[in-house]
Amino acid sequence: MSSPDASRAQKMRLPLFTQKGQLEVPTPSEKDWSKDDEEGYVFKDPHQELDSLPQPYRMINKLVNLLFDRAWEIIEDRDTLREVELSRIRPTVYPPVFESKLSKRPRCIAVSQDYVFIAGAKGFSIYNLHDARQIYVYEKFKVEVMSIWATDLGNETLMAPVDETGVVRLFYLCKDGLFFIKTINEVDDTSKQTICVKMDISRGGDFAAFLIQGAGDTWLDVYKLPKESWLKEVEHPQMAVNPKKKAKQPQMDVSICYLGEVKLSLPVQIMKIKPPKPITGTLFKSPLEVFAKIEGCYGLGSGQNHIIKDSQWEQQTAIFNATYRKYLDGEWEEEPLSIATFHFLFPSCLTVMPTEVKSPPGVASVLGVHWTGRHNFFLYSLNRTLKDKVDPEGVWPSAAPIAASQLSDCGSYLVLACEDGVLTLWDLAEGLPLGIIALPEGCSCQSIHFLKYFLVHEGQNVYPEGPVKSQMSCVVLCTDTSLHLVTATGTQGPTVSMLVERPVKHPEEALCAVAPVPALPGMVLTFSRDSCVHLLDVARPHIVCAFVPPEPYHLAVPWKPVFAVSLQHPFFLLRGDHPDGDSDTPSSVFYFNFDSCSLLENVSKSCFIPRADLNAAGFPQALPLERRCESVLQKRFQKLENKVKEQEHWTRLRRYSLLLQRENVRK
C-alpha cells in the first residue's frame, strides 16, 4: 500500500516547463539543437490553467464573452464619435428676430412681397413680414387649410389656399383689400367632390393650372386669369349682393379689409388635359397612313401613331409574362393615379406653335406637361378655348421616364431629369440646349432648385448687373440625400460637382429639403433629419452658419419641415413646435433675418457688382456674346500663331543641323 504522503504527492500538480508555440520533433544530433530553445520555455503554474467547461456552460461562456466584446466595441465607437464631435468646428448659430404665436400648429406658410400667409384651422392669417404683426384673419372655411400658394403680380398678390377636403379657392390682394374670386372645384354633392393635388400660376399671373383628381381619374384644368379686368374692377367696385351696402372698413389695428361683396371677373377655363392614353395596336398598314393622320408635325413623337398591330403587342406580352413568371406571380398593389408636373413657358423657337398665334412679350404662351412614368414632355398652346381639340403642339421624347423637372424663376432655363439620373439642360430664351449630363452612378434626382447666376469676385459671391445669357446653375437633391451642383454655359459643356455627400456613418445628418436664398448669391438653406438648418455656400462649398428656434421649440417633423423663403427680402420663416405637443398644441412661426447675422449683414446689401468692374476683373461671362466670341477667336488665333512660329523655329533648327552635317562630311 502506498503511504498517505505518497498518495498526497500523487494528487499534487508539480510545476512544468512548457515550450512556447508549436512543438517539433528535435533532430537526432545534439549539435543541430538551437541554443535559443532555452528561451522558448516558460514556467507555468498548473493551478492557473483553465479546464474545459462542459456544456451548456461552454456556450454560456462564449455568449457572455461575445456580449462583453460587442459592448466594448460600442463604447469605443461612442468615444470616437464624441471625439469627432468635439473636434468638429461648429458653425455660428443665429436666433430668430421675430415670433408669431399661434393657437394651433399650421400646416404651411407662404410669403409674397411684404405679406406672410399662415394656414389656420378654418382659414388663414396675414402677417407683416418686417415686424411679424398680424394684419388680418380670414376664418370662413369649414375645415383646416393644408397648403397655400401665393404669387406676386407686381403690386398685387394672387393667393390660392387648399383646404383639407381638396377644395381650392382664389383670393386677390390689392391695395389693402382682400377679394374673393372663385372656388375652383367646389360641388354641391359631397360624394362627387374632387381634390386639387397640385397647382401652378404663370409668371405674371396670366394663367393658372390645377391638377384635379376624382372618381378614379385625374386631369389638368387650365384657366386664363383676367388680371387687367381685376384692376379696373377694384378701382370701380361693383357689389355682388347689395350695391348700396358699403364695404367693411379696416379697423384701427388692421391694415387689410375683406371686400367679399365686390364682384370680380371669373377666370375662364381654356383647356382640360388628361393623361396620355396607353399605347395600343393600330390598323395602319404603312407609314404613309400614319403620317396622313398627323396634322402637320403636331403630336409627332408621342408614340400614339405607329404601325404595330394588336397581335404583335399580345405576342410580346405573352413572351414577357412567360420570361418573368416567377416575379409576376402573386398579388399586386393597385397602380396609383398618374401625377402631372407642369410649367408655363414663354415664347421660344424651341416651342413649335401655330404661325397665326402671336403672344405679347413677357406672357406665357405654352404649357409644358409630363406625367409620372412617361418618357414625353408635351407642349400645349395656351391660345385656345375650351371647345378646341386638346392635342399637344409639340412633344419632346426622352430615353427614360422623366422623374422631375424644374423651370427657373426667370423662365429662361428648363431642366428635365430622367429616372436613370440623366439631366437635360435647355436654354429656352436663346433656343438651344446647354447640354446633357449624368449624375454620379447610383444617384437619382429627387428635386431641382435653380440658383440665380453668380460669380466669385474677391472672395465674395456677387450677382452681375444686367442680363446674363446662357449661364445657369442649379442644385440637385438626390434620392440618396446627396447634394450636387450643376452648372452650364453656352460655350462649355455642363459640369456636376458634389456639395454634400451621403452620410453613411451618420444617417441622422441626411438632407431632406433644400431651398435657395435669392437675397444671398450662391447660397442655399439645407434641412437635415437631425433638425439642423444650415446655410450652405455652394461656391466653396462650406457651411456659413446655422439657424435654430429658441428653447424649448424644435422641428416636430424634421424630414418635412414647414418653412418659406422670401424672394424679395432677406427673410425666411420656420415653424417651431413644442417637444410634447401634437397638431392641436400652440405653435410659433419664427422670422430669421439674414441682415441681422454678423456674418451676412453686408452680403445682401452689396450682392450686385457693376458690369464695368467685371470687365476690369477679366470675367468673360460678363462680356456680351459678340465680345466673348471675339475673345475666343483671338485666343485661338494667338495659339495658332504661336504654333506656326514654333514650327518655323524647329524647321530652321533642322536646316541648320543639316548644313552642319554636310560641312562635316565635306571636311
Side-chain angles (χ1 to χ4, degrees):
M1 292 181 62
S2 61
S3 64
D5 294 339
S7 61
R8 190 181 303 111
Q10 291 176 359
K11 294 180 181 180
M12 292 178 61
R13 294 184 177 180
L14 301 177
L16 301 175
F17 282 97
T18 306
Q19 186 177 4
K20 293 182 180 180
Q22 185 178 2
L23 297 177
E24 296 180 356
V25 178
T27 55
S29 175
E30 294 183 2
K31 297 180 181 179
D32 299 331
W33 292 358
S34 175
K35 297 182 180 180
D36 298 334
D37 289 347
E38 298 179 358
E39 299 177 359
Y41 289 87
V42 63
F43 180 79
K44 271 191 175 183
D45 187 355
H47 293 284
Q48 295 180 354
E49 292 184 354
L50 297 178
D51 296 331
S52 178
L53 294 175
Q55 291 289 5
Y57 303 105
R58 194 187 312 159
M59 181 183 67
I60 296 174
N61 181 58
K62 290 183 178 179
L63 292 177
V64 171
N65 291 335
L66 179 62
L67 180 63
F68 276 104
D69 292 340
R70 290 186 177 180
W72 186 252
E73 291 177 358
I74 294 174
I75 293 173
E76 289 181 342
D77 292 340
R78 289 182 178 180
D79 289 341
T80 304
L81 291 177
R82 189 179 295 107
E83 292 177 359
V84 171
E85 288 293 331
L86 293 175
S87 61
R88 179 183 298 181
I89 300 177
R90 297 185 178 275
T92 305
V93 179
Y94 292 103
V97 293
F98 303 116
E99 177 185 0
S100 295
K101 295 185 177 181
L102 307 172
S103 59
K104 189 177 180 180
R105 182 182 298 174
R107 298 294 185 127
C108 62
I109 308 170
V111 179
S112 179
Q113 299 185 24
D114 299 331
Y115 300 107
V116 178
F117 303 91
I118 301 177
K122 294 184 178 181
F124 55 88
S125 304
I126 304 177
Y127 290 79
N128 188 294
L129 176 64
H130 302 281
D131 56 9
R133 179 174 56 90
Q134 187 182 76
I135 55 181
Y136 188 75
V137 178
Y138 183 92
E139 292 183 340
K140 295 186 178 182
F141 296 166
K142 298 180 181 179
V143 292
E144 186 179 2
V145 173
M146 304 300 293
S147 63
I148 296 179
W149 183 279
T151 302
D152 183 12
L153 303 182
N155 295 326
E156 304 82 31
T157 299
L158 185 63
M159 187 190 58
V162 182
D163 63 21
E164 196 172 2
T165 61
V167 177
V168 56
R169 300 172 176 87
L170 287 181
F171 290 87
Y172 185 61
L173 183 59
C174 177
K175 296 182 178 180
D176 298 333
L178 182 64
F179 304 87
F180 173 72
I181 299 175
K182 181 185 178 181
T183 302
I184 298 297
N185 60 331
E186 189 175 28
V187 294
D188 297 332
D189 188 359
T190 56
S191 62
K192 299 180 181 179
Q193 180 64 57
T194 57
I195 300 174
C196 179
V197 180
K198 190 186 297 185
M199 64 168 297
D200 191 13
I201 300 175
S202 65
R203 186 169 179 261
D206 297 283
F207 298 92
F210 306 89
L211 183 63
I212 307 296
Q213 286 184 355
D217 196 6
T218 179
W219 63 91
L220 190 63
D221 287 337
V222 185
Y223 290 84
K224 186 175 183 180
L225 306 179
K227 64 175 187 177
E228 291 81 5
S229 301
W230 293 343
L231 289 174
K232 297 178 182 179
E233 292 164 355
V234 169
E235 292 290 340
H236 307 283
Q238 296 180 1
M239 302 304 173
V241 181
N242 187 4
K244 296 182 181 180
K245 185 178 180 180
K246 295 183 179 181
K248 295 180 180 179
Q249 298 297 326
Q251 302 176 4
M252 296 302 295
D253 58 341
V254 178
S255 59
I256 291 180
C257 61
Y258 178 65
L259 303 174
E261 299 84 0
V262 179
K263 185 179 180 180
L264 300 182
S265 299
L266 300 179
V268 180
Q269 186 175 359
I270 61 174
M271 204 169 9
K272 184 177 182 179
I273 305 174
K274 292 187 176 182
K277 299 178 180 179
I279 300 177
T280 58
T282 63
L283 300 177
F284 298 124
K285 298 181 179 179
S286 65
L288 296 178
E289 296 182 4
V290 177
F291 284 102
K293 185 180 179 181
I294 301 176
E295 299 177 0
C297 60
Y298 302 144
L300 186 63
S302 63
Q304 298 292 336
N305 301 312
H306 53 81
I307 57 175
I308 303 176
K309 298 181 180 180
D310 288 330
S311 58
Q312 294 174 303
W313 283 112
E314 294 173 359
Q315 182 180 4
Q316 292 296 325
T317 303
I319 295 174
F320 180 84
N321 293 336
T323 305
Y324 302 99
R325 184 181 302 277
K326 61 179 180 179
Y327 303 104
L328 299 175
D329 292 340
E331 296 182 358
W332 287 82
E333 296 181 358
E334 185 178 356
E335 185 176 355
L337 295 176
S338 184
I339 301 297
T341 303
F342 41 93
H343 309 284
F344 290 96
L345 310 180
F346 292 128
S348 171
C349 60
L350 291 175
T351 56
V352 180
M353 292 294 114
T355 55
E356 65 274 7
V357 176
K358 294 183 179 180
S359 299
V363 178
S365 63
V366 178
L367 180 67
V369 184
H370 68 85
W371 301 83
T372 54
R374 301 303 179 98
H375 294 65
N376 299 326
F377 186 73
F378 298 95
L379 303 174
Y380 296 88
S381 173
L382 295 173
N383 190 2
R384 68 174 78 212
T385 62
L386 192 60
K387 297 180 180 179
D388 297 336
K389 187 178 180 181
V390 182
D391 284 333
E393 277 75 14
V395 180
W396 292 357
S398 301
I402 302 176
S405 63
Q406 187 62 42
L407 182 70
S408 62
D409 293 335
C410 62
S412 299
Y413 306 103
L414 175 69
V415 175
L416 300 179
C418 296
E419 292 182 357
D420 57 358
V422 176
L423 305 180
T424 306
L425 316 177
W426 293 94
D427 185 353
L428 301 178
E430 297 297 324
L432 54 90
L434 292 176
I436 299 175
I437 192 169
L439 296 173
E441 186 177 359
C443 296
S444 181
C445 178
Q446 178 180 347
S447 61
I448 306 169
H449 308 271
F450 271 97
L451 301 176
K452 188 177 179 181
Y453 186 74
F454 69 96
L455 298 170
V456 180
H457 178 63
E458 296 181 355
Q460 182 178 352
N461 300 345
V462 293
Y463 291 134
E465 288 186 350
V468 178
K469 297 182 179 180
S470 299
Q471 308 280 345
M472 64 146 288
S473 59
C474 63
V475 291
V476 179
L477 179 62
C478 297
T479 54
D480 63 348
T481 70
S482 61
L483 189 65
H484 303 266
L485 175 65
V486 178
T487 60
T489 62
T491 57
Q492 300 177 359
T495 60
V496 58
S497 58
M498 177 81 72
L499 295 178
V500 179
E501 297 182 357
R502 177 188 177 187
V504 179
K505 296 183 179 180
H506 309 285
E508 68 279 358
E509 298 180 358
L511 299 183
C512 54
V514 177
V517 183
L520 305 176
M523 297 189 186
V524 297
L525 287 172
T526 61
F527 301 82
S528 55
R529 292 183 178 271
D530 56 357
S531 301
C532 292
V533 182
H534 292 147
L535 183 66
L536 176 66
D537 186 352
V538 302
R540 256 51 74 175
H542 74 285
I543 295 177
V544 180
C545 59
F547 305 93
V548 295
E551 295 290 343
Y553 292 93
H554 74 300
L555 301 183
V557 189
W559 56 90
K560 194 177 181 181
V562 178
F563 66 94
V565 181
S566 176
L567 301 179
Q568 295 88 6
H569 305 287
F571 279 89
F572 93 92
L573 288 78
L574 181 66
R575 188 190 74 185
D577 309 303
H578 281 280
D580 299 327
D582 53 11
S583 59
D584 296 329
T585 306
S587 181
S588 295
V589 173
F590 298 98
Y591 298 64
F592 295 88
N593 187 356
F594 297 113
D595 288 342
S596 65
C597 305
S598 58
L599 295 175
L600 306 171
E601 57 184 357
N602 296 324
V603 176
S604 61
K605 298 178 182 179
S606 59
C607 61
F608 288 92
I609 183 170
R611 182 77 59 173
D613 295 347
L614 291 179
N615 295 339
F619 283 97
Q621 300 91 336
L623 299 175
L625 182 60
E626 295 79 6
R627 293 283 303 277
R628 275 187 282 164
C629 294
E630 182 180 355
S631 176
V632 171
L633 292 176
Q634 287 180 354
K635 290 181 179 179
R636 291 185 178 180
F637 180 77
Q638 187 68 29
K639 289 182 180 180
L640 182 61
E641 186 177 4
N642 294 336
K643 189 175 182 179
V644 170
K645 290 182 179 179
E646 185 178 358
Q647 290 179 352
E648 291 179 353
H649 176 71
W650 284 108
T651 303
R652 292 174 183 174
L653 289 178
R654 289 174 184 172
R655 290 179 179 177
Y656 182 73
S657 177
L658 290 174
L659 290 175
L660 289 178
Q661 291 178 2
R662 291 177 181 176
E663 289 294 332
N664 293 332
V665 170
R666 291 177 181 177
K667 292 180 179 180

